Amino acid sequence: MAGGGFSKLPNGTVVVALTLPSPAAEGGTVRVLVHAANRARALTRLRNLGLRAVYLRGNAEPPTPDEITAVLHHPDGLLWRTTPECLDQLWQPIRALLRPPARVGWSTGTGRA
């Protein structure tokens, strides 16, 4: 089960933080931050991206003030990075996590084999 939590901001919106298994590396985890109008919409945003089995049970791991600042200053309001956090790793947009792996050895599209 994913660990996570939320923080309600003074303007009524919420920041949800979830620790999920990494889709890219086996055994690894990622910390995902979502800024939305409420908790349900935050989880819906993740489900719409293909993370179907995402649930928030409790508030055991709420976002830190640094995480809240990071997600509020990003235009998409969806960020991630691997856990445990490396001091030199920056927050990345969710597109970088869900991007399909690059195919090696394919032609350049010229139509020639």
Side-chain angles (χ1 to χ4, degrees):
M1 176 167 52
F6 68 95
S7 287
K8 190 163 185 161
L9 303 178
N11 65 356
T13 61
V14 296
V15 174
V16 174
L18 295 167
T19 304
L20 304 170
S22 174
E26 292 192 24
T29 58
V30 293
R31 180 83 163 169
V32 178
L33 303 175
V34 184
H35 180 231
N38 56 44
R39 287 180 287 170
R41 286 190 185 201
L43 296 175
T44 299
R45 289 185 75 187
L46 290 174
R47 290 181 186 129
N48 287 342
L49 292 171
L51 301 171
R52 298 284 183 215
V54 176
Y55 296 96
L56 182 62
R57 301 207 193 314
N59 199 14
E61 298 176 26
T64 65
D66 290 336
E67 291 175 335
I68 293 171
T69 301
V71 76
L72 289 178
H73 284 88
H74 193 273
D76 291 341
L78 274 163
L79 298 174
W80 73 277
R81 76 173 168 193
T82 58
T83 54
E85 293 92 9
C86 298
L87 296 176
D88 58 345
Q89 186 183 18
L90 299 175
W91 289 98
Q92 299 177 24
I94 198 75
R95 291 182 303 273
L97 179 66
L98 302 175
R99 182 178 306 144
R103 297 183 183 184
V104 179
W106 285 69
S107 69
T108 59
T110 60
R112 298 180 191 158

